[in-house]
Amino acid sequence: MRQLIPALFLFSSLFLLFTFFSIYPLPLSLPFPFSALFPPPHAGAYKLVFILAGQSNMAGRGPLYSDSDPYDQYSPHLSVLRLNRWLHWETAREPMHYDIDVNKTCGVGPGLVFAKSVLQKVHYSYGEVVIGLVPCAVGGTKIEKWTKGLGLYDSAVKRAKAAVEAKRGGGRIEALLWYQGETDTVNFDDAEVYAEKMETLIRNFRADLGLPHLPVIQVALASGEGNYTGKVRAAQKGIQLHNVRTVDAYGLPLLNDNLHLNTEAQIRLGHMLAQSYLSLLDELNSTPQP
């Protein structure tokens, strides 16, 4: 019996350690994810999948756990998962992009609030629903960095396809959520061609994912790094492709850098994105696609 005590102690310690790291985000230096050893509930379930792409305001810079922080708005939910950098499903929690946008400190973004808001509405129609989020956003990236054939775009397509593979439970890609453009406000030439590049990006995503009617919910800028924010906003609001909706973030509160949305703004944006998606979904369900 005395010989068993050290072994039992070691086993229980390792179990607690593995459990802890399966719940909380892992340091990127670790060679493998504990989520592969301890998959969350519903990891093998069929999922409604949403791609989160763009730059820093989609990745999230809102501070976590401030004194006035409504944490319940972006707290984890067992039926909302995220695809981590190793292509394993884990329980979604903020910061959503901690292992994707690795060169900056990420915070609260709109993704988890969006998913929980959608979940409240669709489970009545679909029965038990599991939402899978695929974070792909990287801060400071111009839209040209999302050109087909470059790393950001190709990675997003790869991750989106992996998210609905049968070995991960299968699922359906519901929409692309896109918030980007602040960096394109610095140069007139970048702002001038923004609409063309955005339309090309949408067409490429739809073609490469085999989803010609893929809904796209884009965010019109709340801020910019340069003097051409209005020009980029006009380009975003002028996109006329089918199944594209624009949520306007202008006027939402910013951090002291006057560039990034604060936590309150990200929560409001998450609800706005959900409302836009659900409204579009109602239209799609009532109107045959061409």
mmCIF file with all atom_site columns, all heavy atoms in Angstrom, residues 177-192:
data_model
loop_
_atom_site.group_PDB
_atom_site.id
_atom_site.type_symbol
_atom_site.label_atom_id
_atom_site.label_alt_id
_atom_site.label_comp_id
_atom_site.label_asym_id
_atom_site.label_entity_id
_atom_site.label_seq_id
_atom_site.pdbx_PDB_ins_code
_atom_site.Cartn_x
_atom_site.Cartn_y
_atom_site.Cartn_z
_atom_site.occupancy
_atom_site.B_iso_or_equiv
_atom_site.pdbx_formal_charge
_atom_site.auth_seq_id
_atom_site.auth_comp_id
_atom_site.auth_asym_id
_atom_site.auth_atom_id
_atom_site.pdbx_PDB_model_num
ATOM 1   N N   . LEU A 1 177 ? -17.253 36.161 -41.231 1.00 0.00 ? 177 LEU A N   1
ATOM 2   C CA  . LEU A 1 177 ? -17.329 37.445 -40.527 1.00 0.00 ? 177 LEU A CA  1
ATOM 3   C C   . LEU A 1 177 ? -16.006 38.173 -40.763 1.00 0.00 ? 177 LEU A C   1
ATOM 4   O O   . LEU A 1 177 ? -14.942 37.639 -40.418 1.00 0.00 ? 177 LEU A O   1
ATOM 5   C CB  . LEU A 1 177 ? -17.570 37.235 -39.031 1.00 0.00 ? 177 LEU A CB  1
ATOM 6   C CG  . LEU A 1 177 ? -18.768 36.374 -38.618 1.00 0.00 ? 177 LEU A CG  1
ATOM 7   C CD1 . LEU A 1 177 ? -18.946 36.405 -37.108 1.00 0.00 ? 177 LEU A CD1 1
ATOM 8   C CD2 . LEU A 1 177 ? -20.042 36.807 -39.313 1.00 0.00 ? 177 LEU A CD2 1
ATOM 9   N N   . TRP A 1 178 ? -16.087 39.377 -41.293 1.00 0.00 ? 178 TRP A N   1
ATOM 10  C CA  . TRP A 1 178 ? -14.881 40.087 -41.748 1.00 0.00 ? 178 TRP A CA  1
ATOM 11  C C   . TRP A 1 178 ? -14.835 41.491 -41.153 1.00 0.00 ? 178 TRP A C   1
ATOM 12  O O   . TRP A 1 178 ? -15.768 42.265 -41.296 1.00 0.00 ? 178 TRP A O   1
ATOM 13  C CB  . TRP A 1 178 ? -14.910 40.172 -43.277 1.00 0.00 ? 178 TRP A CB  1
ATOM 14  C CG  . TRP A 1 178 ? -13.762 40.930 -43.886 1.00 0.00 ? 178 TRP A CG  1
ATOM 15  C CD1 . TRP A 1 178 ? -13.756 42.243 -44.272 1.00 0.00 ? 178 TRP A CD1 1
ATOM 16  C CD2 . TRP A 1 178 ? -12.461 40.414 -44.192 1.00 0.00 ? 178 TRP A CD2 1
ATOM 17  N NE1 . TRP A 1 178 ? -12.530 42.584 -44.793 1.00 0.00 ? 178 TRP A NE1 1
ATOM 18  C CE2 . TRP A 1 178 ? -11.718 41.482 -44.754 1.00 0.00 ? 178 TRP A CE2 1
ATOM 19  C CE3 . TRP A 1 178 ? -11.854 39.175 -44.040 1.00 0.00 ? 178 TRP A CE3 1
ATOM 20  C CZ2 . TRP A 1 178 ? -10.410 41.329 -45.178 1.00 0.00 ? 178 TRP A CZ2 1
ATOM 21  C CZ3 . TRP A 1 178 ? -10.542 39.024 -44.452 1.00 0.00 ? 178 TRP A CZ3 1
ATOM 22  C CH2 . TRP A 1 178 ? -9.830  40.087 -45.011 1.00 0.00 ? 178 TRP A CH2 1
ATOM 23  N N   . TYR A 1 179 ? -13.710 41.791 -40.466 1.00 0.00 ? 179 TYR A N   1
ATOM 24  C CA  . TYR A 1 179 ? -13.491 43.146 -39.933 1.00 0.00 ? 179 TYR A CA  1
ATOM 25  C C   . TYR A 1 179 ? -12.045 43.502 -40.223 1.00 0.00 ? 179 TYR A C   1
ATOM 26  O O   . TYR A 1 179 ? -11.121 42.999 -39.567 1.00 0.00 ? 179 TYR A O   1
ATOM 27  C CB  . TYR A 1 179 ? -13.789 43.160 -38.435 1.00 0.00 ? 179 TYR A CB  1
ATOM 28  C CG  . TYR A 1 179 ? -13.838 44.557 -37.808 1.00 0.00 ? 179 TYR A CG  1
ATOM 29  C CD1 . TYR A 1 179 ? -14.305 44.717 -36.508 1.00 0.00 ? 179 TYR A CD1 1
ATOM 30  C CD2 . TYR A 1 179 ? -13.423 45.701 -38.478 1.00 0.00 ? 179 TYR A CD2 1
ATOM 31  C CE1 . TYR A 1 179 ? -14.364 45.961 -35.897 1.00 0.00 ? 179 TYR A CE1 1
ATOM 32  C CE2 . TYR A 1 179 ? -13.476 46.952 -37.882 1.00 0.00 ? 179 TYR A CE2 1
ATOM 33  C CZ  . TYR A 1 179 ? -13.957 47.067 -36.598 1.00 0.00 ? 179 TYR A CZ  1
ATOM 34  O OH  . TYR A 1 179 ? -14.011 48.311 -36.007 1.00 0.00 ? 179 TYR A OH  1
ATOM 35  N N   . GLN A 1 180 ? -11.837 44.391 -41.180 1.00 0.00 ? 180 GLN A N   1
ATOM 36  C CA  . GLN A 1 180 ? -10.491 44.720 -41.639 1.00 0.00 ? 180 GLN A CA  1
ATOM 37  C C   . GLN A 1 180 ? -10.552 46.021 -42.411 1.00 0.00 ? 180 GLN A C   1
ATOM 38  O O   . GLN A 1 180 ? -11.607 46.410 -42.887 1.00 0.00 ? 180 GLN A O   1
ATOM 39  C CB  . GLN A 1 180 ? -9.961  43.570 -42.526 1.00 0.00 ? 180 GLN A CB  1
ATOM 40  C CG  . GLN A 1 180 ? -8.525  43.684 -43.007 1.00 0.00 ? 180 GLN A CG  1
ATOM 41  C CD  . GLN A 1 180 ? -8.391  44.542 -44.254 1.00 0.00 ? 180 GLN A CD  1
ATOM 42  O OE1 . GLN A 1 180 ? -9.358  44.704 -45.009 1.00 0.00 ? 180 GLN A OE1 1
ATOM 43  N NE2 . GLN A 1 180 ? -7.216  45.111 -44.466 1.00 0.00 ? 180 GLN A NE2 1
ATOM 44  N N   . GLY A 1 181 ? -9.425  46.688 -42.542 1.00 0.00 ? 181 GLY A N   1
ATOM 45  C CA  . GLY A 1 181 ? -9.353  47.878 -43.374 1.00 0.00 ? 181 GLY A CA  1
ATOM 46  C C   . GLY A 1 181 ? -8.670  49.057 -42.742 1.00 0.00 ? 181 GLY A C   1
ATOM 47  O O   . GLY A 1 181 ? -8.323  50.031 -43.437 1.00 0.00 ? 181 GLY A O   1
ATOM 48  N N   . GLU A 1 182 ? -8.439  49.027 -41.433 1.00 0.00 ? 182 GLU A N   1
ATOM 49  C CA  . GLU A 1 182 ? -7.796  50.168 -40.767 1.00 0.00 ? 182 GLU A CA  1
ATOM 50  C C   . GLU A 1 182 ? -6.442  50.502 -41.397 1.00 0.00 ? 182 GLU A C   1
ATOM 51  O O   . GLU A 1 182 ? -6.093  51.666 -41.559 1.00 0.00 ? 182 GLU A O   1
ATOM 52  C CB  . GLU A 1 182 ? -7.632  49.885 -39.270 1.00 0.00 ? 182 GLU A CB  1
ATOM 53  C CG  . GLU A 1 182 ? -8.926  49.812 -38.482 1.00 0.00 ? 182 GLU A CG  1
ATOM 54  C CD  . GLU A 1 182 ? -9.489  48.400 -38.398 1.00 0.00 ? 182 GLU A CD  1
ATOM 55  O OE1 . GLU A 1 182 ? -9.047  47.536 -39.193 1.00 0.00 ? 182 GLU A OE1 1
ATOM 56  O OE2 . GLU A 1 182 ? -10.374 48.181 -37.558 1.00 0.00 ? 182 GLU A OE2 1
ATOM 57  N N   . THR A 1 183 ? -5.683  49.467 -41.748 1.00 0.00 ? 183 THR A N   1
ATOM 58  C CA  . THR A 1 183 ? -4.356  49.683 -42.319 1.00 0.00 ? 183 THR A CA  1
ATOM 59  C C   . THR A 1 183 ? -4.434  50.226 -43.740 1.00 0.00 ? 183 THR A C   1
ATOM 60  O O   . THR A 1 183 ? -3.493  50.878 -44.209 1.00 0.00 ? 183 THR A O   1
ATOM 61  C CB  . THR A 1 183 ? -3.559  48.366 -42.291 1.00 0.00 ? 183 THR A CB  1
ATOM 62  O OG1 . THR A 1 183 ? -3.586  47.833 -40.963 1.00 0.00 ? 183 THR A OG1 1
ATOM 63  C CG2 . THR A 1 183 ? -2.103  48.582 -42.679 1.00 0.00 ? 183 THR A CG2 1
ATOM 64  N N   . ASP A 1 184 ? -5.545  49.990 -44.418 1.00 0.00 ? 184 ASP A N   1
ATOM 65  C CA  . ASP A 1 184 ? -5.707  50.476 -45.790 1.00 0.00 ? 184 ASP A CA  1
ATOM 66  C C   . ASP A 1 184 ? -6.118  51.943 -45.847 1.00 0.00 ? 184 ASP A C   1
ATOM 67  O O   . ASP A 1 184 ? -6.300  52.490 -46.940 1.00 0.00 ? 184 ASP A O   1
ATOM 68  C CB  . ASP A 1 184 ? -6.745  49.617 -46.517 1.00 0.00 ? 184 ASP A CB  1
ATOM 69  C CG  . ASP A 1 184 ? -6.240  48.216 -46.777 1.00 0.00 ? 184 ASP A CG  1
ATOM 70  O OD1 . ASP A 1 184 ? -5.508  48.017 -47.765 1.00 0.00 ? 184 ASP A OD1 1
ATOM 71  O OD2 . ASP A 1 184 ? -6.560  47.313 -45.985 1.00 0.00 ? 184 ASP A OD2 1
ATOM 72  N N   . THR A 1 185 ? -6.270  52.592 -44.696 1.00 0.00 ? 185 THR A N   1
ATOM 73  C CA  . THR A 1 185 ? -6.641  54.006 -44.664 1.00 0.00 ? 185 THR A CA  1
ATOM 74  C C   . THR A 1 185 ? -5.425  54.935 -44.717 1.00 0.00 ? 185 THR A C   1
ATOM 75  O O   . THR A 1 185 ? -5.585  56.156 -44.791 1.00 0.00 ? 185 THR A O   1
ATOM 76  C CB  . THR A 1 185 ? -7.457  54.347 -43.401 1.00 0.00 ? 185 THR A CB  1
ATOM 77  O OG1 . THR A 1 185 ? -6.610  54.214 -42.247 1.00 0.00 ? 185 THR A OG1 1
ATOM 78  C CG2 . THR A 1 185 ? -8.662  53.429 -43.259 1.00 0.00 ? 185 THR A CG2 1
ATOM 79  N N   . VAL A 1 186 ? -4.229  54.374 -44.678 1.00 0.00 ? 186 VAL A N   1
ATOM 80  C CA  . VAL A 1 186 ? -3.010  55.198 -44.634 1.00 0.00 ? 186 VAL A CA  1
ATOM 81  C C   . VAL A 1 186 ? -2.678  55.757 -46.010 1.00 0.00 ? 186 VAL A C   1
ATOM 82  O O   . VAL A 1 186 ? -2.312  56.927 -46.162 1.00 0.00 ? 186 VAL A O   1
ATOM 83  C CB  . VAL A 1 186 ? -1.826  54.373 -44.082 1.00 0.00 ? 186 VAL A CB  1
ATOM 84  C CG1 . VAL A 1 186 ? -0.530  55.187 -44.134 1.00 0.00 ? 186 VAL A CG1 1
ATOM 85  C CG2 . VAL A 1 186 ? -2.113  53.913 -42.656 1.00 0.00 ? 186 VAL A CG2 1
ATOM 86  N N   . ASN A 1 187 ? -2.800  54.914 -47.027 1.00 0.00 ? 187 ASN A N   1
ATOM 87  C CA  . ASN A 1 187 ? -2.418  55.251 -48.388 1.00 0.00 ? 187 ASN A CA  1
ATOM 88  C C   . ASN A 1 187 ? -3.632  55.499 -49.261 1.00 0.00 ? 187 ASN A C   1
ATOM 89  O O   . ASN A 1 187 ? -4.561  54.697 -49.264 1.00 0.00 ? 187 ASN A O   1
ATOM 90  C CB  . ASN A 1 187 ? -1.660  54.062 -48.983 1.00 0.00 ? 187 ASN A CB  1
ATOM 91  C CG  . ASN A 1 187 ? -0.274  54.445 -49.403 1.00 0.00 ? 187 ASN A CG  1
ATOM 92  O OD1 . ASN A 1 187 ? -0.141  55.162 -50.370 1.00 0.00 ? 187 ASN A OD1 1
ATOM 93  N ND2 . ASN A 1 187 ? 0.702   53.949 -48.677 1.00 0.00 ? 187 ASN A ND2 1
ATOM 94  N N   . PHE A 1 188 ? -3.630  56.569 -50.038 1.00 0.00 ? 188 PHE A N   1
ATOM 95  C CA  . PHE A 1 188 ? -4.759  56.837 -50.929 1.00 0.00 ? 188 PHE A CA  1
ATOM 96  C C   . PHE A 1 188 ? -4.961  55.697 -51.915 1.00 0.00 ? 188 PHE A C   1
ATOM 97  O O   . PHE A 1 188 ? -6.098  55.278 -52.185 1.00 0.00 ? 188 PHE A O   1
ATOM 98  C CB  . PHE A 1 188 ? -4.537  58.145 -51.695 1.00 0.00 ? 188 PHE A CB  1
ATOM 99  C CG  . PHE A 1 188 ? -5.609  58.437 -52.709 1.00 0.00 ? 188 PHE A CG  1
ATOM 100 C CD1 . PHE A 1 188 ? -6.793  59.059 -52.336 1.00 0.00 ? 188 PHE A CD1 1
ATOM 101 C CD2 . PHE A 1 188 ? -5.446  58.058 -54.037 1.00 0.00 ? 188 PHE A CD2 1
ATOM 102 C CE1 . PHE A 1 188 ? -7.797  59.311 -53.264 1.00 0.00 ? 188 PHE A CE1 1
ATOM 103 C CE2 . PHE A 1 188 ? -6.443  58.307 -54.980 1.00 0.00 ? 188 PHE A CE2 1
ATOM 104 C CZ  . PHE A 1 188 ? -7.621  58.933 -54.589 1.00 0.00 ? 188 PHE A CZ  1
ATOM 105 N N   . ASP A 1 189 ? -3.865  55.187 -52.480 1.00 0.00 ? 189 ASP A N   1
ATOM 106 C CA  . ASP A 1 189 ? -3.968  54.127 -53.482 1.00 0.00 ? 189 ASP A CA  1
ATOM 107 C C   . ASP A 1 189 ? -4.595  52.863 -52.895 1.00 0.00 ? 189 ASP A C   1
ATOM 108 O O   . ASP A 1 189 ? -5.390  52.193 -53.567 1.00 0.00 ? 189 ASP A O   1
ATOM 109 C CB  . ASP A 1 189 ? -2.588  53.796 -54.055 1.00 0.00 ? 189 ASP A CB  1
ATOM 110 C CG  . ASP A 1 189 ? -2.037  54.922 -54.921 1.00 0.00 ? 189 ASP A CG  1
ATOM 111 O OD1 . ASP A 1 189 ? -2.841  55.780 -55.370 1.00 0.00 ? 189 ASP A OD1 1
ATOM 112 O OD2 . ASP A 1 189 ? -0.815  54.955 -55.148 1.00 0.00 ? 189 ASP A OD2 1
ATOM 113 N N   . ASP A 1 190 ? -4.258  52.540 -51.644 1.00 0.00 ? 190 ASP A N   1
ATOM 114 C CA  . ASP A 1 190 ? -4.858  51.366 -50.993 1.00 0.00 ? 190 ASP A CA  1
ATOM 115 C C   . ASP A 1 190 ? -6.355  51.566 -50.796 1.00 0.00 ? 190 ASP A C   1
ATOM 116 O O   . ASP A 1 190 ? -7.158  50.658 -51.039 1.00 0.00 ? 190 ASP A O   1
ATOM 117 C CB  . ASP A 1 190 ? -4.191  51.103 -49.642 1.00 0.00 ? 190 ASP A CB  1
ATOM 118 C CG  . ASP A 1 190 ? -2.753  50.646 -49.769 1.00 0.00 ? 190 ASP A CG  1
ATOM 119 O OD1 . ASP A 1 190 ? -2.416  50.040 -50.807 1.00 0.00 ? 190 ASP A OD1 1
ATOM 120 O OD2 . ASP A 1 190 ? -1.969  50.879 -48.835 1.00 0.00 ? 190 ASP A OD2 1
ATOM 121 N N   . ALA A 1 191 ? -6.729  52.758 -50.340 1.00 0.00 ? 191 ALA A N   1
ATOM 122 C CA  . ALA A 1 191 ? -8.148  53.048 -50.130 1.00 0.00 ? 191 ALA A CA  1
ATOM 123 C C   . ALA A 1 191 ? -8.912  53.049 -51.449 1.00 0.00 ? 191 ALA A C   1
ATOM 124 O O   . ALA A 1 191 ? -10.065 52.609 -51.518 1.00 0.00 ? 191 ALA A O   1
ATOM 125 C CB  . ALA A 1 191 ? -8.301  54.394 -49.423 1.00 0.00 ? 191 ALA A CB  1
ATOM 126 N N   . GLU A 1 192 ? -8.261  53.521 -52.506 1.00 0.00 ? 192 GLU A N   1
ATOM 127 C CA  . GLU A 1 192 ? -8.903  53.631 -53.818 1.00 0.00 ? 192 GLU A CA  1
ATOM 128 C C   . GLU A 1 192 ? -9.299  52.267 -54.372 1.00 0.00 ? 192 GLU A C   1
ATOM 129 O O   . GLU A 1 192 ? -10.341 52.128 -55.029 1.00 0.00 ? 192 GLU A O   1
ATOM 130 C CB  . GLU A 1 192 ? -7.940  54.326 -54.793 1.00 0.00 ? 192 GLU A CB  1
ATOM 131 C CG  . GLU A 1 192 ? -8.478  54.530 -56.188 1.00 0.00 ? 192 GLU A CG  1
ATOM 132 C CD  . GLU A 1 192 ? -9.509  55.647 -56.273 1.00 0.00 ? 192 GLU A CD  1
ATOM 133 O OE1 . GLU A 1 192 ? -9.704  56.364 -55.271 1.00 0.00 ? 192 GLU A OE1 1
ATOM 134 O OE2 . GLU A 1 192 ? -10.107 55.798 -57.347 1.00 0.00 ? 192 GLU A OE2 1
#
